[in-house]
Amino acid sequence: MADYDVVVIGAGSTGTAVARDCAMRGLRTLLLERDDIASATVGTCAGMISSGLKYMDEPEIVDMCSDEVVHFLRIARHIIMKNPILTPMLEMSDLSSGGNFAEEYSKRAESRDVPPVLFLTPEDSREIEPSLNPEIIASLYFEEYFIDPFRLCILQALDAKNHGADVKTYCELVDIDVKDGKIVGVVYFNRITREEKRVSTHIVINAAGPWASKVAKFAEAKVDLRLNKGAHVILDRRVVNVGVIAKAVDGRMIYLFPHENTTLLGTTAIDTWEDPDTLTASHDEIEYLLQSMEWVIPSIRDARIIRTMEGVRPLVADWKIPEGKVTRGYEIIDHSSQNIKGLISFTGGKLVMCRHMAEAATDLAAEMLRVETECKTHLEPLPGNEDDVDVLALAKEFDISQHAVERLRARRGTETRMILELTKDHPDWKTTICTCEPVIEAEIRYSIRHEFPQTLNDLRRRVRLGTGPCQATFCTYKAAAILADERELSGHDFQLDILDFLSERWKGKRPSFRREQIIQEEVAQGMYACVGNLDLTLGSVYTRKPWEDWS
Amino acid sequence: MEHEYDLAVIGGGIAGLVAGTIASESGLKTILIRKGRGATSYSSGAIDILGNLVESQFPLSPIDALSTTGVIRSTHPYVILGISENNREVHTELIVQRVKDSVKWLQRNLDGLCAEFTGALDQAMEAITVLGTTKPTCFVQKTMDMGNLVKDHDDSNLLFVDIVGHPDFNGRLAARTYAEFQRYADKPVKRVSSCSITITPFGKPYNISSVEVARHLDHSGLPKEALSELRKNIENTGATHVALPPVMGIESANTVLQEIAELGVHPFEVLSFPPSVPGMRLQQSLDAMYLESGGQMIVGHEVVGYDSADDRVSRIIAKSPHRKMKISATSTILATGKFIGGGIKGTESGFKESIFNLDTVDLNYNPTDDLRPQKLTDRVNVQYEGHAVFSVGVPVDRYFRPINYDSQVVYENVFAAGSVLAGYNYLVEKSGLGVGLTTGYTTGLNAMKYIKEEL
Ligand SMILES: Cc1cc2nc3c(=O)[nH]c(=O)nc-3n(C[C@H](O)[C@H](O)[C@H](O)COP(=O)(O)OP(=O)(O)OC[C@H]3O[C@@H](n4cnc5c(N)ncnc54)[C@H](O)[C@@H]3O)c2cc1C
Ligand SMILES: Cc1cc2nc3c(=O)[nH]c(=O)nc-3n(C[C@H](O)[C@H](O)[C@H](O)COP(=O)(O)OP(=O)(O)OC[C@H]3O[C@@H](n4cnc5c(N)ncnc54)[C@H](O)[C@@H]3O)c2cc1C
């Protein structure tokens, strides 16, 4: 008997959804991720689920997304927020395309529990969003849901684990064993223990996003992708009351979304052939976004940029058409057609479709394994969504600010109480470690114990450590001490963890380095270089990250 | 309202306060205007002179480092100090002499104040930080004096102490880090351990801030329970030295430490991150020093404009939310700091000095007026050479008067001091307060000469 029925490669939104589905259906499942959960594309996306403005020409996809939103609201309501959105129009021609969208959106509104599209006068629009350009002629009002992409992936992975799957982060697939045209096993390299391991499996599901072609190559199979990069600029607070969608300099649609305590401005779309690991946002992308949004929000440049992020969309390989015309749907490749049995790959897709993609791939896997199964991923709640949470009562009971408890709830749902319970034995764990978010020590300890983070950056994905205006300047060393304490790390590793996180934050800060960001960085360098002396003590042992290398 | 002075100092960090004190103690009518807090109040409690000459492959004492800079850097503020009146050449002895003079002067002036400091120019000091790392510096506040921890002691046994619920210092990790460094030391500290004590300014053992603890200790002294916790741990570990979080009081840290010393150990505070109690002590002491000298100080006012005539600045205009002031002065010292202080601004289109719109340059005096800030950064966040952006500032002549890209003095009566200057990167060099002190001291003297028409 093989070690596993299914080995899933990649723990982004797609891979974690697949692992959860396979495990829930009783398949013996291994999820391999070379880095951390949600460390790649999915972590750079806006987290918007549904919409349709962008793919109105594909009604079957709009239908699918609409259904998926309903499912998400059932299984993961605690990590979902609803945002009102305005689409201001500056010209008559904008109005006609708006009408089309309004009709398609409104058809599916009821099932998603949102009102139909409204047309608003300039006065009404500006009442809702005073920073809109007074010259707009009308706007569309509608509502969209946003999910925390990091928590979604982590919860899917944890749920897969709860259903018996093995989840291995920092384990990179380095080979696929094929015998007589059939998958028989995989080899992975554990980047922490530096050991290679071979396991046998019947099926490999390749959910490696933009790396899917590379992964397929290990089995001498082929996956065609159209890689397309996109940048976001992140502003320091909620600079708008509602989301704003507008036409960019080249006629594409871009958006400004309030997101947690920040605002996301995105996105660009540029075909790319670069190694996704080395990409950072460019000056051109930042200016493209700012200039485009300036037409409808004239004060946008007064906002403080705290960082940028760049991701690569693994699109279906439709060539010779603009990126916007490429299908937003996904394809599942059964490599039997290339004479390799047991290998399944994805191309295309979106975050909002991840559960649907997983269901389709798991159906195919079950069929290959000749087992009868039933998909339940749209019915059963993800961890934390079992019940309502009374934030006010908890804040009172544990003497913690309401705001901190509400932020905790938005990540944790019913786990909130469990985390707060820890402070009964350790009252000092009520201490706020990251004040921007805020995050208390108890949540960090809980996450370290139960959610297998290896680095501070992994902790960021789990608890939003260091994502606010100070971009981890003040919390890095405090959180590093807690991580080192829990893991019994050496002083050397404690310092390396600090450098590692600073370096990861710098990746996003550097492209938009200007104005207040320079002040913030002088403080950070004052702490970690001038006082902490890490520039002198660790410079020589630090290994450069892919995006820090010149080669 | 119109006010008339001999000297107007813009900026109240170390550079401005030192310059202002020098002028006012020798009888000039001096006014200092500052809008808020700058980098000085963020500093760690150490006064760096030149901890690490980036070009040098091995550690040097501050004096040797100073002597070496003259040879390899022509635009460093320290090197400008060394330009001789007579032949306009750089003399390293002159650099060292000027630094010595200003250090001695400051030491005298801070004597008895809470930021009183100790150290020596011919000895590099490796001070322990909140991370448990050590940093090359020259002087530290008296409460941070490590005593004979590493020198003249065969059996040092160091106990790191932290406060429960105070996240700014984790004694256990600091101890672990410091202990590992001891492996490479010539004369290692024999034993390193850690413990926690309880100090709860508001009765709750969480979210305890450094400033709250310091104020609490100023007010009510070290709580008995904390002292007995300390005693127990000192007995258990046999500690000879105790490393404390840098929060032992703003005014009364010396008293608190004395109380701990009576337990038979040598206590000292580690270097602080911001928010920094030692930084507050320094700021407060410098303020007191300046006011003592008879200078006038206007806080909460930002200099927003100026009038000029005949290559001289005749008036500066300061504004608060409530009023506007016009100040005429014979000479003006610009000590507005770098980015934190607000002296230099960097936008998408380049860098500029924020009040007089002066030209800005980098480490080697290359123009930076139309350079996008990102271009002066490295891909790696924390590394040996640092980021060039932090050496951007105003270029000056040998009297520290800002010059333009054609090397012409911009205003004959304006001098610049402290981190608003270009030509050095204090973050990696470890030279911040040292440059602030010595250039403040020197520009104070230069402005005086100018006012007496002796320049
Ligand atoms: C800028 C931008 C904005 C977007 N906004 C939205 C949005 O608002 N809504 C929406 O629905 N979608 C959005 N998307 C699309 C969405 O983010 C992606 O389609 C989706 O998240 C891709 O997830 P994934 O799991 O397939 O890929 P990834 O997240 O890239 O995951 C693949 C994983 O595979 C791992 N891997 C690669 N090679 C190996 C190996 N050899 N061994 C082990 N592991 C390996 C990688 O480390 C990675 O973690 C956006 C995309 C971008 C770029
Ligand atoms: C986190 C950190 C730790 C540090 N630790 C150390 C250390 O341990 N040892 C060391 O030697 N150095 C240290 N430094 C460096 C040192 O603090 C600075 O180099 C030094 O304080 C600079 O002094 P300054 O007087 O030039 O500027 P600042 O202290 O920044 O003062 C500038 C002043 O100008 C005022 N100002 C600016 N613009 C205007 C205006 N338009 N109108 C009115 N007022 C204005 C500001 O409000 C402020 O009062 C550290 C720096 C940081 C950031």
Side-chain angles (χ1 to χ4, degrees):
Chain A
M1 191 166 95
D3 301 328
Y4 293 101
D5 296 319
V6 180
V7 175
V8 184
I9 312 303
S13 47
T14 317
T16 53
V18 173
R20 173 175 187 246
D21 200 344
C22 290
M24 280 173 69
R25 298 200 211 185
L27 305 180
R28 290 168 308 130
T29 308
L30 168 66
L31 174 60
L32 290 179
E33 166 57 51
R34 73 185 173 133
D35 201 285
D36 184 33
I37 312 279
S39 55
T41 320
V42 66
T44 64
C45 86
M48 175 150 92
I49 50 178
S50 162
S51 165
L53 193 55
K54 272 191 170 168
Y55 31 100
M56 276 301 130
D57 307 339
E58 297 181 281
E60 64 296 346
I61 290 175
V62 182
D63 281 338
M64 180 224 295
C65 293
S66 251
D67 290 345
E68 285 307 308
V69 171
V70 176
H71 297 149
F72 275 129
L73 286 172
R74 186 181 308 124
I75 69 168
R77 196 180 34 132
H78 61 311
I79 52 167
I80 293 176
M81 290 201 298
K82 186 153 72 171
N83 265 338
I85 291 175
L86 285 180
T87 302
M89 304 181 169
L90 286 161
E91 288 151 34
M92 285 313 285
S93 62
D94 296 342
L95 264 168
S96 60
S97 55
N100 251 343
F101 163 69
E103 199 174 307
E104 289 293 325
Y105 177 98
S106 304
K107 258 199 266 176
R108 300 167 180 89
E110 203 183 326
S111 63
R112 294 206 314 266
D113 195 21
V114 291
V117 173
L118 296 173
F119 278 87
L120 298 184
T121 62
E123 294 72 35
D124 287 349
S125 314
R126 278 171 50 83
E127 189 141 322
I128 297 175
E129 185 46 68
S131 54
L132 283 178
N133 184 341
E135 282 162 28
I136 61 167
I137 55 172
S139 77
L140 293 181
Y141 173 97
F142 57 101
E143 293 174 4
E144 292 286 6
Y145 291 99
F146 290 77
I147 196 162
D148 179 335
F150 299 108
R151 289 304 302 169
L152 174 66
C153 295
I154 281 151
L155 294 180
Q156 290 185 149
L158 285 169
D159 206 35
K161 243 181 135 171
N162 293 343
H163 285 91
D166 287 333
V167 175
K168 292 192 190 294
T169 55
Y170 292 91
C171 286
E172 178 166 2
L173 177 94
V174 290
D175 205 2
I176 299 179
D177 294 330
V178 184
K179 206 171 152 197
D180 306 329
K182 267 193 64 174
I183 300 285
V184 293
V186 298
V187 183
Y188 65 87
F189 174 68
N190 185 321
R191 291 173 49 203
I192 292 161
T193 62
R194 321 285 312 160
E195 280 162 359
E196 237 177 55
K197 189 156 182 204
R198 172 170 260 120
V199 294
S200 55
T201 180
H202 300 298
I203 290 176
V204 169
I205 300 183
N206 170 11
W211 295 271
S213 318
K214 258 183 153 170
V215 164
K217 237 187 225 159
F218 290 124
E220 271 154 54
K222 202 164 162 327
V223 170
D224 283 327
L225 286 175
R226 177 161 171 188
L227 297 185
N228 186 271
K229 65 179 175 181
H232 280 106
V233 166
I234 305 173
L235 307 172
D236 68 336
R237 61 213 143 77
R238 294 174 80 95
V239 297
V240 278
N241 300 325
V242 297
V244 173
I245 295 186
K247 241 182 209 171
V249 292
D250 56 356
R252 290 177 59 251
M253 299 308 271
I254 60 159
Y255 50 74
L256 189 65
F257 290 148
H259 173 79
E260 312 281 351
N261 301 333
T262 60
T263 305
L264 279 179
L265 169 60
T267 165
T268 55
I270 303 166
D271 285 306
T272 179
W273 288 263
E274 271 291 354
D275 174 358
D277 282 332
T278 63
L279 287 173
T280 54
S282 70
H283 180 61
D284 282 345
E285 286 176 287
I286 296 166
E287 290 303 319
Y288 166 96
L289 291 170
L290 288 173
Q291 189 181 329
S292 302
M293 197 44 79
E294 213 168 8
W295 285 327
V296 293
I297 308 280
S299 58
I300 190 74
R301 279 181 199 270
D302 299 339
R304 169 173 165 196
I305 303 179
I306 54 173
R307 65 184 287 109
T308 57
M309 55 185 187
E310 181 94 17
V312 175
R313 305 175 183 89
L315 300 181
V316 170
D318 284 347
W319 298 107
K320 302 198 178 172
I321 47 171
E323 163 273 342
K325 291 266 184 292
V326 177
T327 175
R328 259 24 187 185
Y330 66 88
E331 284 175 5
I332 286 191
I333 304 169
D334 175 353
H335 293 270
S336 311
S337 55
Q338 298 167 4
N339 292 324
I340 299 151
K341 288 211 179 78
L343 179 65
I344 301 169
S345 296
F346 291 102
T347 65
K350 294 195 66 105
L351 168 69
V352 58
M353 297 169 197
C354 67
R355 200 213 56 85
H356 196 277
M357 295 163 76
E359 180 173 350
T362 313
D363 283 347
L364 180 57
E367 191 187 308
M368 289 177 177
L369 291 165
R370 290 177 224 280
V371 289
E372 288 271 336
T373 58
E374 192 189 341
C375 176
K376 291 202 179 129
T377 51
H378 55 303
L379 300 174
E380 293 189 12
L382 283 165
N385 192 32
E386 297 85 359
D387 211 343
D388 286 335
V389 179
D390 187 342
V391 172
L392 286 177
L394 286 173
K396 213 164 155 204
E397 182 181 345
F398 290 94
D399 192 20
I400 294 182
S401 85
Q402 235 181 71
H403 178 57
V405 179
E406 169 50 28
R407 300 300 303 149
L408 188 56
R409 186 217 53 80
R411 293 186 283 276
R412 302 289 172 174
T414 52
E415 275 178 344
T416 306
R417 169 168 283 282
M418 263 193 287
I419 289 168
L420 293 177
E421 293 282 346
L422 294 176
T423 66
K424 287 196 168 149
D425 284 341
H426 303 275
D428 54 310
W429 291 2
K430 290 185 198 172
T431 300
T432 307
I433 300 300
C434 162
T435 43
C436 298
E437 177 52 23
V439 186
I440 61 166
E441 179 163 348
E443 188 187 7
I444 294 178
R445 301 241 179 212
Y446 178 90
S447 181
I448 295 170
R449 291 176 188 181
H450 301 289
E451 300 178 331
F452 47 88
Q454 293 297 331
T455 65
L456 294 178
N457 198 25
D458 298 356
L459 263 176
R460 167 188 63 93
R461 300 188 183 99
R462 285 153 181 79
V463 307
R464 291 188 60 77
L465 181 81
T467 55
C470 95
Q471 285 290 301
T473 305
F474 294 107
C475 68
T476 297
Y477 74 104
K478 301 174 189 167
I482 298 171
L483 182 65
D485 195 33
E486 284 282 331
R487 291 272 151 81
E488 299 193 356
L489 302 180
S490 66
H492 180 265
D493 286 345
F494 161 63
Q495 295 170 67
L496 272 181
D497 272 331
I498 293 174
L499 275 199
D500 181 79
F501 196 36
L502 293 175
S503 133
E504 194 285 334
R505 293 284 83 187
W506 182 236
K507 176 188 185 183
K509 285 193 279 183
R510 184 170 177 261
S512 56
F513 191 63
R514 51 181 77 169
R515 299 171 190 260
E516 294 93 334
Q517 287 302 90
I518 310 180
I519 301 171
Q520 186 68 52
E521 192 57 27
E522 192 184 352
V523 176
Q525 294 286 326
M527 292 167 65
Y528 297 101
C530 177
V531 179
N533 205 28
L534 297 181
D535 54 332
L536 276 176
T537 56
L538 278 186
S540 53
V541 290
Y542 175 77
T543 359
R544 291 194 166 210
K545 311 234 178 286
W547 66 86
E548 293 172 341
D549 242 355
W550 284 105
S551 54
Chain B
M1 264 202 296
E2 184 91 35
H3 305 262
E4 291 197 16
Y5 292 88
D6 294 325
L7 177 66
V9 178
I10 314 175
I14 189 166
L17 288 162
V18 164
T21 306
I22 286 279
S24 121
E25 70 181 9
S26 51
L28 294 188
K29 191 177 173 203
T30 307
I31 185 166
L32 183 147
I33 307 119
R34 84 157 162 244
K35 66 172 182 192
R37 296 227 150 154
T40 303
S41 63
Y42 288 43
S43 65
S44 72
I47 297 180
D48 302 339
I49 298 297
L50 191 51
N52 174 43
L53 196 60
V54 177
E55 289 87 350
S56 149
Q57 292 305 305
F58 45 86
L60 299 168
S61 79
I63 279 203
D64 291 341
L66 283 172
S67 314
T68 317
T69 8
V71 184
I72 48 190
R73 285 270 200 80
S74 57
T75 53
H76 198 291
Y78 281 140
V79 177
I80 297 173
L81 290 177
I83 300 177
S84 124
E85 282 285 327
N86 311 329
N87 57 8
R88 300 202 177 186
E89 274 174 15
V90 175
H91 295 276
T92 50
E93 320 82 68
L94 206 52
I95 301 178
V96 174
Q97 193 51 49
R98 292 244 156 104
V99 173
K100 271 188 182 156
D101 290 348
S102 44
V103 166
K104 216 194 255 153
W105 175 87
L106 185 69
Q107 210 146 20
R108 202 173 58 233
N109 273 278
L110 295 187
D111 193 36
L113 298 177
C114 61
E116 207 178 325
F117 60 94
T118 115
L121 272 177
D122 54 4
Q123 268 166 25
M125 185 191 296
E126 291 286 332
I128 304 176
T129 78
V130 276
L131 299 180
T133 54
T134 61
K135 133 166 187 176
T137 185
C138 190
F139 300 98
V140 289
Q141 290 180 11
K142 233 175 116 192
T143 54
M144 305 180 133
D145 181 358
M146 299 183 289
N148 61 356
L149 177 71
V150 285
K151 273 178 297 183
D152 317 320
H153 198 294
D154 295 328
D155 290 307
S156 294
N157 178 341
L158 178 60
L159 173 65
F160 282 85
V161 178
D162 64 16
I163 301 168
V164 176
H166 173 240
D168 301 36
F169 180 57
N170 184 316
R172 199 159 10 169
L173 259 299
R176 224 176 268 174
T177 302
Y178 186 70
E180 285 173 32
F181 277 113
Q182 292 307 300
R183 289 190 212 140
Y184 311 101
D186 292 340
K187 218 173 140 192
V189 169
K190 284 278 150 52
R191 182 166 170 212
V192 180
S193 55
S194 67
C195 73
S196 300
I197 60 172
T198 321
I199 302 176
T200 52
F202 297 116
K204 292 176 183 173
Y206 54 92
N207 278 338
I208 293 173
S209 86
S210 302
V211 179
E212 279 164 19
V213 177
R215 291 221 170 101
H216 182 72
L217 294 182
D218 275 355
H219 194 252
S220 357
L222 195 63
K224 286 209 178 52
E225 312 82 71
L227 199 62
S228 68
E229 283 174 304
L230 260 177
R231 180 179 300 116
K232 215 166 54 209
N233 281 291
I234 290 169
E235 279 165 13
N236 288 346
T237 55
T240 56
H241 294 72
V242 171
L244 296 157
V247 300
M248 304 313 286
I250 300 168
E251 293 286 354
S252 64
N254 272 312
T255 322
V256 173
L257 259 62
Q258 234 146 42
E259 208 176 337
I260 297 174
E262 281 160 20
L263 301 174
V265 289
H266 178 88
F268 61 91
E269 296 172 308
V270 298
L271 301 191
S272 181
F273 277 175
S276 166
V277 170
M280 286 172 65
R281 285 181 207 142
L282 178 62
Q283 184 74 57
Q284 205 167 299
S285 299
L286 292 169
D287 285 0
M289 166 185 88
Y290 173 72
L291 293 173
E292 176 71 19
S293 74
Q296 202 178 326
M297 170 144 49
I298 310 258
V299 299
H301 282 65
E302 179 172 3
V303 174
V304 289
Y306 64 100
D307 293 326
S308 66
D310 303 334
D311 298 340
R312 295 167 34 124
V313 166
S314 52
R315 236 171 19 176
I316 54 176
I317 297 152
K319 233 174 88 178
S320 78
H322 311 295
R323 62 169 179 173
K324 198 167 173 175
M325 295 177 69
K326 291 181 182 158
I327 295 160
S328 329
T330 315
S331 175
T332 297
I333 290 181
L334 181 70
T336 45
K338 209 169 276 306
F339 303 104
I340 295 175
I344 306 291
K345 294 215 153 69
T347 70
E348 298 85 309
S349 45
F351 294 88
K352 61 179 244 223
E353 184 279 323
S354 20
I355 297 177
F356 301 103
N357 205 13
L358 300 168
D359 288 345
T360 60
V361 296
D362 67 5
L363 193 71
N364 301 309
Y365 274 32
N366 297 313
T368 54
D369 59 333
D370 57 3
L371 262 188
R372 192 174 352 122
Q374 191 227 350
K375 300 207 169 189
L376 291 177
T377 60
D378 193 271
R379 290 179 180 217
V380 180
N381 188 232
V382 177
Q383 39 84 32
Y384 195 72
E385 280 88 15
H387 300 285
V389 62
F390 297 113
S391 45
V392 172
V394 298
V396 288
D397 78 343
R398 65 200 168 107
Y399 298 115
F400 288 95
R401 289 180 301 192
I403 54 177
N404 61 20
Y405 289 148
D406 299 325
S407 300
Q408 300 302 311
V409 170
V410 187
Y411 301 109
E412 63 170 45
N413 63 342
V414 175
F415 301 81
S419 56
V420 73
L421 295 171
Y424 74 115
N425 185 340
Y426 76 85
L427 295 157
V428 288
E429 278 179 14
K430 280 70 167 163
S431 65
L433 292 170
V435 169
L437 163 63
T438 52
T439 59
Y441 183 87
T442 307
T443 51
L445 293 177
N446 289 351
M448 242 158 63
K449 281 191 203 151
Y450 174 84
I451 292 163
K452 296 185 183 155
E453 297 180 6
E454 291 167 4
L455 199 72

